[in-house]
């Protein structure tokens, strides 16, 4: 199973480093940014389970970073960090969709407990949200009714044929599927074209659901076909 991913956006380098070390020790995959613009760039680049976001940042403020995140992402957990016990900061952050806040200085044990609690609540809400209409493999989710595809919190646009191919791969995750199987189920038994069409469409899918992300899900089994599964 992949490690939960946490992004730290904190301009005080010593605090950011301590958080990075503690969270890495706890088993999280961690990256950090020391200003708002760099933090938002890293947020856009990858999918995150949780963001620790300082309110007072150079570049753009933590409140502005949160506003940009929540403009199209209601799901990623955001815990605000503030150096002052300011009601205005807390209200602004919570109104914009922050999940929690911590006032500096804080005990690392309390922060770790808040992180675990936030992730637990988030996991329960995701399980409730993605019902029987969704197929889920790792952080990839496909809805057969609405024909939506999400990797992490990012929506992925697919052509009808790409969607059908991905749906078949996901519904048979961890099974090695021969090109002939894929051809028959996605293109139909009366299709007389070259099986190389499978390789072409697998490449299309990889460009959309694998290449922009950290870990590939579609794997080639040489001489046999393809399998969709989480990377170890």
């Amino acid at each position: 199973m992949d490690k939960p991913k946490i992004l730290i956006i904190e301009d005080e380098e010593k605090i950011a480093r301590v958080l990075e070390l503690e969270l890495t020790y706890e088993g999280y995959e961690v990256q950090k940014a020391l200003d708002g613009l760099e933090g938002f760039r890293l947020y856009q680049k990858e999918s995150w389970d949780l963001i620790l976001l300082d309110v007072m940042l150079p570049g753009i403020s933590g409140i502005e970073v949160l506003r940009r995140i929540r403009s199209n992402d209601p799901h990623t957990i955001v815990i605000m960090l503030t150096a002052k016990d300011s009601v205005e900061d807390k209200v602004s952050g919570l109104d914009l969709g922050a999940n929690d806040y911590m006032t500096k200085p804080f005990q690392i044990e309390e922060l770790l407990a808040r992180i675990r609690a936030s992730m637990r609540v988030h996991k329960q809400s995701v399980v409730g949200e993605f019902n029987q209409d969704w197929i889920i493999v790792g952080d990839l989710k496909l809805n057969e009714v609405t024909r939506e595809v999400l990797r992490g919190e990012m929506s992925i646009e697919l052509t009808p044929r790409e969607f059908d191919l991905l749906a078949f791969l996901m519904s048979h995750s961890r099974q090695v599927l021969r090109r002939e199987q894929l051809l028959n189920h996605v293109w139909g038994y009366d299709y007389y074209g070259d099986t190389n069409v499978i390789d072409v469409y697998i490449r299309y899918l990889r460009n959309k659901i694998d290449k922009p992300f950290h870990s590939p899900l579609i794997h080639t089994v040489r001489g046999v076909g393809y399998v969709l599964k989480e990377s170890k």
Side-chain angles (χ1 to χ4, degrees):
M1 183 180 293
D2 290 340
K3 295 178 180 180
K5 294 175 62 177
I6 294 180
L7 174 61
I8 301 165
I9 309 177
E10 164 63 66
D11 66 318
E12 293 186 55
E13 194 161 358
K14 288 182 179 178
I15 293 176
R17 181 58 177 157
V18 169
L19 290 174
E20 181 183 33
L21 290 171
E22 291 285 352
L23 292 168
T24 301
Y25 180 77
E26 290 293 319
Y28 298 107
E29 183 179 332
V30 183
Q31 287 191 49
K32 65 180 189 296
L34 300 178
D35 66 71
L37 289 171
E38 173 68 6
F40 188 67
R41 187 190 69 79
L42 283 176
Y43 159 75
Q44 291 180 302
K45 187 178 176 184
E46 296 187 40
S47 175
W48 303 94
D49 295 289
L50 185 142
I51 298 172
L52 294 177
L53 178 60
D54 190 28
V55 171
M56 302 295 289
L57 291 169
I60 57 174
S61 72
I63 295 296
E64 176 60 19
V65 173
L66 177 63
R67 188 192 65 76
R68 294 185 186 188
I69 290 172
R70 286 294 184 248
S71 67
N72 61 7
D73 173 5
H75 299 296
T76 301
I77 303 165
V78 179
I79 297 179
M80 304 294 292
L81 307 176
T82 176
K84 53 186 179 180
D85 193 5
S86 166
V87 173
E88 289 79 11
D89 282 341
K90 293 171 184 176
V91 169
S92 297
L94 293 171
D95 280 349
L96 282 169
N99 300 83
D100 202 350
Y101 62 85
M102 293 286 291
T103 302
K104 301 176 189 175
F106 49 78
Q107 295 294 319
I108 191 68
E109 291 80 8
E110 183 183 358
L111 177 61
L112 292 172
R114 296 277 189 99
I115 288 171
R116 289 192 294 268
S118 295
M119 287 190 171
R120 197 158 52 240
V121 170
H122 179 70
K123 186 176 181 181
Q124 290 168 353
S125 69
V126 168
V127 169
E129 180 181 346
F130 292 105
N131 55 30
Q132 66 271 19
D133 295 332
W134 292 85
I135 305 172
I136 303 173
V137 179
D139 63 348
L140 181 65
K141 308 170 186 75
L142 178 146
N143 190 307
E144 294 187 289
V145 175
T146 63
R147 296 183 76 83
E148 294 175 89
V149 176
L150 302 172
R151 179 107 198 237
E153 305 303 336
M154 184 178 294
S155 178
I156 297 172
E157 295 295 325
L158 299 179
T159 66
R161 190 74 78 184
E162 290 167 353
F163 181 92
D164 293 342
L165 177 57
L166 181 61
F168 190 72
L169 286 165
M170 290 183 69
S171 63
H172 296 81
S173 64
R174 304 191 66 82
Q175 297 179 35
V176 179
L177 300 170
R178 292 177 288 106
R179 288 173 177 80
E180 292 78 9
Q181 287 177 278
L182 295 168
L183 202 61
N184 289 337
H185 282 87
V186 178
W187 274 261
Y189 288 94
D190 56 351
Y191 179 83
Y192 294 106
D194 196 321
T195 58
N196 284 344
V197 70
I198 297 297
D199 303 318
V200 172
Y201 273 81
I202 289 289
R203 186 169 71 250
Y204 293 161
L205 282 180
R206 279 176 165 155
N207 285 336
K208 293 182 178 181
I209 71 164
D210 276 349
K211 282 192 175 180
F213 300 94
H214 181 64
S215 55
L217 291 171
I218 300 174
H219 305 273
T220 302
V221 180
R222 199 171 297 278
V224 183
Y226 298 98
V227 59
L228 190 143
K229 64 179 182 179
E230 289 184 83
S231 301
K232 291 183 179 179

